[in-house]
Structure formats: structure tokens, C-alpha cells
Amino acid sequence: MSFSVDEVAFLAAKAHRIAEVAPGIELSKRTVFADRAVLEREFGGYARAVSVLIAAQRGAAGKFPQHWLTDADAAQQATPRAVADVRAAKVADTGARVVHDVTCSVGSEAPAFLDASVAWLGSDLDRSRLAMARHNLGPGAWLAEADALAPVSAADVVVADPARRADGRRITDPAKPVPPLPDLLEAYRGRELAVKCAPGIDYSGWDGLVSVVSLDGGVKEACLYTPGFGRGREAVVIKRGFSEHCLSTHPAHAPAGPPGRYIVEPDGAVVRAGLVNHWATRHGLWLLDEHIAFCTGDTIPDGYTGFEFLEAVPLKKLKAALTARDAGSLEILVRGVDQDPDQLRAKLKLKGTEPHAVVIARVGDAAVAHICGPRTAARGSGWGLGRGDRVGG
């Protein structure tokens, strides 16, 4: 739920007091009446707006400063700062001096570009969002009310983040976000453009660069860049204390073969970008099957986790094999097989004491259950970013 311009003005004027009150507002079902009473006593008829703001600020953790003004939709769509930094670095590497964010919302992309020494101009049609952006970024920010499909600047690069959720679900059809991708491409024909999209979008026909970025194990977005940024696909993996950049121009000659000491699942960004073989080749791994995104080898790459392989059995013999190993708690991973992990776990009814994992994959024409030890992290100081590497470059 968004705010009226009047509500934004009130929230901006009372921002300091709201920050003081917020820690005592739980916003749970148990406290709904008590919270409302406190907010009405403090803020009168604006209690609803303050409640929505506090909830949205909490939902935006890791995306922009907690004291910023935002509504729930803006907070949900905003890019995490670490992911925005990847885009800003890529734009800066082109030599761009000015970027125009044509769907700027509350201004969440601005800090990343400014820190990358790229001047930022933001525009939007939503006046309340622009008012929040003005409060968040200060009087010196370049902001304008403008339609994203009506170019109003000569900026070196245009960035767009179309609304890509409907009824709480991600939109994967490129013609259905607001504004639609085809319309953006037409409006900025001949310009360098970066468009943020849902990770599941079909980008097979895109002529430029597709960059899929994950943060702490969750795929956050696919960004489509015009050919001036390059062509092909890339996966950018960002984790605490670790980053990795995998390109479709990297070698991809990992064979398929029997399990090694460990089974490893690549990061979701690598899988979504279609770079499993490239990633496996880079880390000296091979594939359980050339069509399945499970890798295997004698080590676990630095920054990742994996499972020590014990034995492979047909699905129909899985319960007997796990019982023989005194298996209790069980992590189940499935690819290429129509099998629901939760239903399988309930069906197995394991009563043992030892934690295990099962990696179920279609190998050739057969569904194979790979029984493994529990999830374990990489040992030693394996591969990581070298001093000369730059994420997103």
C-alpha cells in the first residue's frame, strides 16, 4: 500500500519521532490493538501510515538505510545494496558519467551509483515515491516527474526496474511488467540500457548480456544489458566473505561421470544462467548427468557446501539403505525427477539417529538416489576471488 503525498509529508516531518517509537511497535497479531493504540496516541489520524512505514522499513533491511521512507511495494522490489553495487560497477566500467534511473521509486539505486562515481538522475510518475526519494536523498538529488517511456535526458546509460510482481507472484513474461520490456527497448532504441527482470524470465532471445545475481544463496534478479556492455551470460554469486563471477566465455568441458567423493549443487545464479558446466570446469568438477545441475568431485569449492557421497541406490531401495545406515534427519535435494522432498521424507518414516542427505537425480534414463553424509562446508582455502578480480566487471 502506497502513501498519499500528504502522508509522505507527515512521515518526513515526523521521521525522527517515528524512529524513536518504532522499536516498541511489534506489529504482530498478538499486539495489533496495543500497537494501534500507541500509534494513534502519538500520530493521530496518520497512525495507519506510520504502521505501514515501520513494517516496510523492516522489510527493506539490507536494501537501503532503515530510516528511509518507503512503502511496502517499494521495499519489496528494491534491490539489495550488494546487488546494486554489482550493476553500478558494471556501468562505471563502461566510462559512463551519468545514469538515468527511469523507475527510481524511493531512490534505492542512487547510493550505489554515487559511490561508484556515476552521477544519478531519478524519475518516476508516482509523486509520493518521488517525495520519499527527495526525503531519502536530500535536496541535492536530481529527481524529476516523468514517464519511463518518454525519454527526458541524454544520460549515458538508462536503468529501469519495471514492476515485476502481480498478485504477489513474479512476472516472467517480458511483455507483462510495467512498463513492458518491448516498450522500454523501443523508447530507448540506440541507447545503452540495463533492465532488471525476474530471475525466471526467458532471456534466450536477448542479444546483449544477461547477468544473474544471487545474494547469500538466493537468486535476486536477472539484469538485461544492451550489447554495449557485452554479450552472453554471467552469474555473480555474492556471499558473506566470498564472491564469484562466472561467464559464458569461460571454458566448459566438464564430462559426466560417476560420483566422486562429494556431490555439490552450484549456486542458483549459476544454474539460472545456464553455466553449470562452466562452473564445474572452473572448479575441477564433473557432472552426475550432462542435463542435471549436480556436480561431483574430490573437493568442495571454497565458498560452497556439499555432501560426502556414500552410495547410490534405486529409489525403491532407498528406505532400506537409509535404515541400514541408522539415518534419522534427512536433507533431500531433487532434480530431474518428479518427487516431492516433503512427501518422500514423510513416506520414509526414518527412526534412526544419524543425519544424512539424499541427492535424487535422473542419471541417463534412471532416477538414482545418492545417499550422502550431512551437508558440509569446503575444507581449506580453495578458490576465491583473486586480488585483481572485480565482481560484476
Side-chain angles (χ1 to χ4, degrees):
M1 184 178 294
S2 190
F3 303 118
S4 68
V5 174
D6 174 67
E7 287 174 325
V8 173
F10 178 86
L11 296 173
K14 298 292 185 178
H16 181 71
R17 182 56 184 159
I18 292 171
E20 292 177 335
V21 172
I25 304 300
E26 188 173 317
L27 294 181
S28 67
K29 291 182 179 180
R30 182 181 64 83
T31 64
V32 60
F33 295 111
D35 289 341
R36 189 60 181 244
V38 171
L39 295 178
E40 287 182 345
R41 185 168 61 250
E42 288 282 345
F43 306 108
Y46 293 94
R48 182 208 65 87
V50 174
S51 176
V52 171
L53 172 64
I54 293 172
Q57 288 174 329
R58 291 174 183 176
K63 296 182 175 182
F64 44 73
Q66 188 174 1
H67 67 273
W68 273 25
L69 298 186
T70 182
D71 58 45
D73 289 342
Q76 183 182 58
Q77 176 132 344
T79 301
R81 175 58 194 268
V83 179
D85 284 340
V86 172
R87 181 170 23 264
K90 190 176 295 297
V91 170
D93 284 347
T94 69
R97 295 181 299 172
V98 181
V99 64
H100 183 179
D101 184 346
V102 297
T103 53
C104 75
S105 187
V106 300
S108 60
E109 292 275 311
F113 283 105
L114 296 175
D115 286 350
S117 299
V118 178
W120 181 90
L121 163 65
S123 63
D124 207 297
L125 274 178
D126 189 322
R127 292 185 177 182
S128 68
R129 295 259 175 88
L130 284 173
M132 286 188 277
R134 173 62 66 198
H135 173 83
N136 296 337
L137 300 175
W142 294 351
L143 292 165
E145 182 180 345
D147 188 334
L149 297 178
V152 295
S153 78
D156 303 307
V157 175
V158 173
V159 172
D161 186 9
R164 51 187 186 272
R165 283 185 179 270
D167 299 324
R169 297 184 178 182
R170 279 177 170 166
I171 297 172
T172 57
D173 182 342
K176 291 185 177 180
V178 182
L181 178 58
D183 294 353
L184 280 168
L185 297 179
E186 181 61 31
Y188 297 97
R189 185 177 297 277
R191 305 274 298 275
E192 295 299 347
L193 185 65
V195 184
K196 292 181 279 182
C197 301
I201 190 173
D202 179 7
Y203 49 74
S204 56
W206 184 251
D207 187 42
L209 176 67
V210 180
S211 178
V212 184
V213 185
S214 70
L215 177 64
D216 294 331
V219 180
K220 297 303 180 181
E221 68 176 41
C223 190
L224 308 183
Y225 294 91
T226 45
F229 288 91
R231 285 183 165 87
R233 290 157 288 130
E234 72 171 2
V236 181
V237 178
I238 306 170
K239 299 181 181 181
R240 189 181 302 275
F242 170 84
S243 299
E244 182 175 20
H245 187 195
C246 188
L247 287 164
S248 57
T249 54
H250 291 164
H253 48 68
R261 182 177 178 184
Y262 297 101
I263 294 177
V264 183
E265 184 177 35
D267 185 88
V270 174
V271 177
R272 290 287 183 93
L275 300 177
V276 172
N277 197 301
H278 303 73
W279 184 83
T281 301
R282 180 177 212 172
H283 293 293
L285 305 175
W286 58 96
L287 312 175
L288 288 180
D289 181 275
E290 61 181 358
H291 302 296
I292 300 297
F294 285 127
C295 302
T296 185
D298 297 326
T299 60
I300 300 173
D302 190 33
Y304 290 86
T305 59
F307 308 90
E308 188 167 12
F309 173 70
L310 301 175
E311 67 172 314
V313 299
L315 270 177
K316 63 182 180 181
K317 295 184 178 181
L318 178 59
K319 181 173 182 177
L322 288 171
T323 300
R325 291 181 175 275
D326 192 31
S329 60
L330 189 66
E331 182 174 357
I332 303 174
L333 287 75
V334 181
R335 285 193 181 275
V337 178
D338 185 14
Q339 180 69 66
D340 180 85
D342 291 332
Q343 291 180 5
L344 176 59
R345 187 179 292 104
K347 181 179 179 180
L348 290 171
K349 298 179 180 179
L350 298 176
K351 299 179 180 179
T353 60
E354 297 298 321
H356 282 73
V358 175
V359 176
I360 301 173
R362 182 162 295 283
V363 179
D365 295 328
V368 180
H370 301 81
I371 299 176
C372 304
R375 185 183 291 271
T376 184
R379 298 172 183 173
S381 56
W383 187 90
L385 276 181
R387 292 180 181 272
D389 289 333
R390 182 180 185 183
V391 175

Short mmCIF file of all heavy atoms in Angstrom, two decimals, residues 235-237 242-247 250-254 270 275-286 301 304 383-386 389:
data_model
loop_
_atom_site.label_atom_id
_atom_site.label_comp_id
_atom_site.label_asym_id
_atom_site.label_seq_id
_atom_site.Cartn_x
_atom_site.Cartn_y
_atom_site.Cartn_z
N ALA A 235 27.02 -15.22 -14.25
CA ALA A 235 26.44 -15.45 -12.93
C ALA A 235 27.36 -14.76 -11.92
O ALA A 235 28.58 -14.95 -11.95
CB ALA A 235 26.35 -16.94 -12.62
N VAL A 236 26.77 -13.96 -11.06
CA VAL A 236 27.51 -13.29 -10.00
C VAL A 236 26.98 -13.82 -8.67
O VAL A 236 25.79 -13.67 -8.36
CB VAL A 236 27.36 -11.76 -10.07
CG1 VAL A 236 28.18 -11.11 -8.96
CG2 VAL A 236 27.82 -11.24 -11.43
N VAL A 237 27.86 -14.44 -7.91
CA VAL A 237 27.50 -15.05 -6.64
C VAL A 237 28.11 -14.22 -5.51
O VAL A 237 29.32 -14.03 -5.47
CB VAL A 237 28.01 -16.51 -6.56
CG1 VAL A 237 27.66 -17.13 -5.21
CG2 VAL A 237 27.44 -17.34 -7.71
N PHE A 242 32.66 -13.80 0.54
CA PHE A 242 33.00 -14.56 -0.66
C PHE A 242 32.20 -14.04 -1.85
O PHE A 242 31.02 -13.71 -1.73
CB PHE A 242 32.68 -16.04 -0.45
CG PHE A 242 32.77 -16.87 -1.70
CD1 PHE A 242 34.00 -17.36 -2.13
CD2 PHE A 242 31.65 -17.15 -2.46
CE1 PHE A 242 34.08 -18.13 -3.28
CE2 PHE A 242 31.71 -17.91 -3.61
CZ PHE A 242 32.95 -18.41 -4.03
N SER A 243 32.86 -13.93 -3.02
CA SER A 243 32.18 -13.55 -4.25
C SER A 243 32.77 -14.33 -5.41
O SER A 243 33.95 -14.72 -5.38
CB SER A 243 32.32 -12.05 -4.52
OG SER A 243 31.73 -11.28 -3.49
N GLU A 244 31.96 -14.57 -6.43
CA GLU A 244 32.42 -15.31 -7.59
C GLU A 244 31.71 -14.81 -8.83
O GLU A 244 30.53 -14.44 -8.79
CB GLU A 244 32.16 -16.81 -7.41
CG GLU A 244 32.67 -17.65 -8.58
CD GLU A 244 32.51 -19.13 -8.34
OE1 GLU A 244 31.70 -19.52 -7.47
OE2 GLU A 244 33.18 -19.91 -9.03
N HIS A 245 32.43 -14.82 -9.95
CA HIS A 245 31.92 -14.29 -11.21
C HIS A 245 32.20 -15.34 -12.28
O HIS A 245 33.34 -15.67 -12.56
CB HIS A 245 32.66 -12.99 -11.52
CG HIS A 245 32.13 -12.25 -12.70
ND1 HIS A 245 32.84 -11.24 -13.30
CD2 HIS A 245 30.99 -12.38 -13.41
CE1 HIS A 245 32.14 -10.77 -14.32
NE2 HIS A 245 31.02 -11.45 -14.41
N CYS A 246 31.13 -15.88 -12.87
CA CYS A 246 31.27 -16.94 -13.87
C CYS A 246 30.66 -16.47 -15.19
O CYS A 246 29.53 -15.96 -15.21
CB CYS A 246 30.57 -18.21 -13.39
SG CYS A 246 30.84 -19.67 -14.42
N LEU A 247 31.40 -16.61 -16.30
CA LEU A 247 30.97 -16.11 -17.60
C LEU A 247 30.78 -17.23 -18.61
O LEU A 247 31.44 -18.27 -18.54
CB LEU A 247 32.01 -15.14 -18.15
CG LEU A 247 32.11 -13.76 -17.49
CD1 LEU A 247 33.41 -13.09 -17.87
CD2 LEU A 247 30.93 -12.90 -17.91
N HIS A 250 33.87 -18.49 -20.37
CA HIS A 250 34.82 -19.37 -19.69
C HIS A 250 34.75 -20.78 -20.28
O HIS A 250 33.72 -21.16 -20.87
CB HIS A 250 34.51 -19.43 -18.18
CG HIS A 250 34.80 -18.15 -17.47
ND1 HIS A 250 34.30 -17.86 -16.21
CD2 HIS A 250 35.52 -17.06 -17.83
CE1 HIS A 250 34.71 -16.68 -15.83
NE2 HIS A 250 35.44 -16.17 -16.79
N PRO A 251 35.78 -21.59 -20.13
CA PRO A 251 35.77 -22.96 -20.67
C PRO A 251 34.63 -23.79 -20.07
O PRO A 251 34.23 -23.59 -18.93
CB PRO A 251 37.14 -23.51 -20.24
CG PRO A 251 38.00 -22.30 -20.02
CD PRO A 251 37.08 -21.24 -19.50
N ALA A 252 34.11 -24.71 -20.87
CA ALA A 252 33.03 -25.60 -20.43
C ALA A 252 33.25 -26.97 -21.03
O ALA A 252 32.71 -27.30 -22.07
CB ALA A 252 31.68 -25.02 -20.84
N HIS A 253 34.08 -27.77 -20.36
CA HIS A 253 34.37 -29.10 -20.89
C HIS A 253 34.32 -30.17 -19.79
O HIS A 253 35.01 -31.18 -19.84
CB HIS A 253 35.73 -29.13 -21.58
CG HIS A 253 36.85 -28.50 -20.79
ND1 HIS A 253 37.35 -29.04 -19.62
CD2 HIS A 253 37.54 -27.35 -21.01
CE1 HIS A 253 38.31 -28.26 -19.15
NE2 HIS A 253 38.46 -27.23 -19.98
N ALA A 254 33.47 -29.94 -18.77
CA ALA A 254 33.34 -30.93 -17.69
C ALA A 254 32.55 -32.13 -18.22
O ALA A 254 31.46 -31.97 -18.77
CB ALA A 254 32.63 -30.32 -16.50
N VAL A 270 24.23 -19.57 -10.93
CA VAL A 270 24.94 -20.37 -11.94
C VAL A 270 23.95 -21.23 -12.71
O VAL A 270 24.02 -21.34 -13.94
CB VAL A 270 26.02 -21.24 -11.27
CG1 VAL A 270 26.67 -22.19 -12.27
CG2 VAL A 270 27.08 -20.36 -10.60
N LEU A 275 25.12 -21.96 -16.64
CA LEU A 275 26.58 -22.03 -16.64
C LEU A 275 27.11 -23.14 -15.74
O LEU A 275 28.24 -23.05 -15.23
CB LEU A 275 27.15 -20.67 -16.18
CG LEU A 275 26.76 -19.47 -17.05
CD1 LEU A 275 27.31 -18.18 -16.46
CD2 LEU A 275 27.29 -19.65 -18.48
N VAL A 276 26.33 -24.19 -15.55
CA VAL A 276 26.76 -25.27 -14.66
C VAL A 276 28.04 -25.92 -15.16
O VAL A 276 28.98 -26.17 -14.39
CB VAL A 276 25.64 -26.33 -14.51
CG1 VAL A 276 26.15 -27.55 -13.74
CG2 VAL A 276 24.43 -25.73 -13.81
N ASN A 277 28.12 -26.21 -16.46
CA ASN A 277 29.33 -26.84 -16.99
C ASN A 277 30.53 -25.91 -16.87
O ASN A 277 31.64 -26.35 -16.54
CB ASN A 277 29.12 -27.26 -18.45
CG ASN A 277 30.15 -28.27 -18.90
OD1 ASN A 277 31.35 -28.01 -18.88
ND2 ASN A 277 29.68 -29.44 -19.32
N HIS A 278 30.33 -24.63 -17.12
CA HIS A 278 31.42 -23.66 -16.99
C HIS A 278 31.92 -23.63 -15.54
O HIS A 278 33.14 -23.61 -15.30
CB HIS A 278 30.94 -22.26 -17.39
CG HIS A 278 30.39 -22.17 -18.78
ND1 HIS A 278 29.16 -22.69 -19.11
CD2 HIS A 278 30.90 -21.63 -19.91
CE1 HIS A 278 28.93 -22.46 -20.40
NE2 HIS A 278 29.97 -21.82 -20.91
N TRP A 279 30.98 -23.62 -14.60
CA TRP A 279 31.34 -23.57 -13.19
C TRP A 279 32.06 -24.85 -12.77
O TRP A 279 33.06 -24.80 -12.05
CB TRP A 279 30.07 -23.37 -12.37
CG TRP A 279 30.28 -23.21 -10.89
CD1 TRP A 279 30.61 -22.07 -10.23
CD2 TRP A 279 30.19 -24.25 -9.91
NE1 TRP A 279 30.71 -22.32 -8.89
CE2 TRP A 279 30.46 -23.64 -8.66
CE3 TRP A 279 29.89 -25.60 -9.95
CZ2 TRP A 279 30.45 -24.36 -7.47
CZ3 TRP A 279 29.88 -26.32 -8.77
CH2 TRP A 279 30.16 -25.71 -7.54
N ALA A 280 31.55 -25.99 -13.21
CA ALA A 280 32.18 -27.27 -12.87
C ALA A 280 33.60 -27.33 -13.43
O ALA A 280 34.54 -27.76 -12.74
CB ALA A 280 31.35 -28.43 -13.41
N THR A 281 33.77 -26.89 -14.67
CA THR A 281 35.11 -26.89 -15.29
C THR A 281 36.06 -26.02 -14.49
O THR A 281 37.22 -26.40 -14.23
CB THR A 281 35.01 -26.38 -16.73
OG1 THR A 281 34.13 -27.24 -17.47
CG2 THR A 281 36.37 -26.36 -17.40
N ARG A 282 35.59 -24.87 -14.08
CA ARG A 282 36.43 -23.93 -13.33
C ARG A 282 36.95 -24.55 -12.03
O ARG A 282 38.07 -24.30 -11.61
CB ARG A 282 35.60 -22.68 -13.02
CG ARG A 282 36.35 -21.61 -12.25
CD ARG A 282 35.45 -20.40 -12.06
NE ARG A 282 36.24 -19.18 -12.06
CZ ARG A 282 35.73 -17.98 -12.07
NH1 ARG A 282 34.43 -17.84 -12.12
NH2 ARG A 282 36.50 -16.92 -12.05
N HIS A 283 36.12 -25.38 -11.41
CA HIS A 283 36.47 -25.93 -10.10
C HIS A 283 36.97 -27.37 -10.16
O HIS A 283 37.12 -28.01 -9.12
CB HIS A 283 35.27 -25.84 -9.17
CG HIS A 283 34.90 -24.43 -8.81
ND1 HIS A 283 35.71 -23.62 -8.05
CD2 HIS A 283 33.81 -23.67 -9.13
CE1 HIS A 283 35.15 -22.43 -7.91
NE2 HIS A 283 34.00 -22.43 -8.55
N GLY A 284 37.23 -27.87 -11.36
CA GLY A 284 37.76 -29.23 -11.48
C GLY A 284 36.76 -30.30 -11.10
O GLY A 284 37.15 -31.38 -10.64
N LEU A 285 35.48 -30.02 -11.31
CA LEU A 285 34.43 -30.99 -11.00
C LEU A 285 33.91 -31.63 -12.29
O LEU A 285 34.25 -31.20 -13.39
CB LEU A 285 33.27 -30.30 -10.27
CG LEU A 285 33.63 -29.53 -8.99
CD1 LEU A 285 32.41 -28.80 -8.46
CD2 LEU A 285 34.21 -30.46 -7.93
N TRP A 286 33.05 -32.63 -12.15
CA TRP A 286 32.35 -33.16 -13.30
C TRP A 286 30.87 -33.28 -12.95
O TRP A 286 30.45 -32.92 -11.85
CB TRP A 286 32.95 -34.49 -13.77
CG TRP A 286 33.00 -35.60 -12.75
CD1 TRP A 286 32.10 -36.61 -12.58
CD2 TRP A 286 34.04 -35.84 -11.78
NE1 TRP A 286 32.50 -37.45 -11.56
CE2 TRP A 286 33.68 -37.01 -11.06
CE3 TRP A 286 35.23 -35.18 -11.43
CZ2 TRP A 286 34.47 -37.53 -10.03
CZ3 TRP A 286 36.01 -35.69 -10.41
CH2 TRP A 286 35.63 -36.85 -9.72
N PRO A 301 34.30 -26.74 -3.64
CA PRO A 301 34.87 -25.42 -3.90
C PRO A 301 34.71 -24.47 -2.73
O PRO A 301 33.71 -24.54 -2.00
CB PRO A 301 34.07 -24.92 -5.12
CG PRO A 301 33.59 -26.16 -5.79
CD PRO A 301 33.30 -27.12 -4.66
N TYR A 304 31.37 -22.80 -0.86
CA TYR A 304 30.21 -23.64 -1.11
C TYR A 304 30.13 -24.75 -0.07
O TYR A 304 31.05 -24.99 0.71
CB TYR A 304 30.28 -24.25 -2.51
CG TYR A 304 30.06 -23.24 -3.61
CD1 TYR A 304 31.13 -22.49 -4.10
CD2 TYR A 304 28.80 -23.00 -4.13
CE1 TYR A 304 30.94 -21.53 -5.09
CE2 TYR A 304 28.60 -22.06 -5.13
CZ TYR A 304 29.67 -21.34 -5.60
OH TYR A 304 29.47 -20.39 -6.58
N TRP A 383 39.35 -22.07 -4.00
CA TRP A 383 39.28 -20.95 -4.92
C TRP A 383 38.46 -19.81 -4.37
O TRP A 383 37.45 -19.99 -3.72
CB TRP A 383 38.66 -21.42 -6.23
CG TRP A 383 38.70 -20.40 -7.30
CD1 TRP A 383 39.68 -20.21 -8.21
CD2 TRP A 383 37.73 -19.40 -7.55
NE1 TRP A 383 39.37 -19.16 -9.02
CE2 TRP A 383 38.19 -18.64 -8.64
CE3 TRP A 383 36.52 -19.05 -6.97
CZ2 TRP A 383 37.48 -17.57 -9.17
CZ3 TRP A 383 35.80 -17.98 -7.48
CH2 TRP A 383 36.29 -17.27 -8.56
N GLY A 384 38.88 -18.58 -4.63
CA GLY A 384 38.12 -17.39 -4.28
C GLY A 384 38.53 -16.30 -5.24
O GLY A 384 39.33 -16.51 -6.14
N LEU A 385 37.98 -15.10 -5.07
CA LEU A 385 38.35 -14.01 -5.94
C LEU A 385 39.80 -13.62 -5.69
O LEU A 385 40.22 -13.44 -4.56
CB LEU A 385 37.46 -12.80 -5.68
CG LEU A 385 36.12 -12.74 -6.38
CD1 LEU A 385 35.42 -11.44 -6.00
CD2 LEU A 385 36.28 -12.83 -7.88
N GLY A 386 40.55 -13.49 -6.76
CA GLY A 386 41.91 -13.01 -6.65
C GLY A 386 41.94 -11.51 -6.44
O GLY A 386 40.92 -10.82 -6.57
N ASP A 389 40.49 -9.49 -9.35
CA ASP A 389 39.13 -9.74 -9.82
C ASP A 389 38.19 -8.70 -9.22
O ASP A 389 38.36 -8.23 -8.11
CB ASP A 389 38.64 -11.13 -9.41
CG ASP A 389 39.35 -12.21 -10.19
OD1 ASP A 389 39.77 -11.92 -11.31
OD2 ASP A 389 39.49 -13.33 -9.67
#
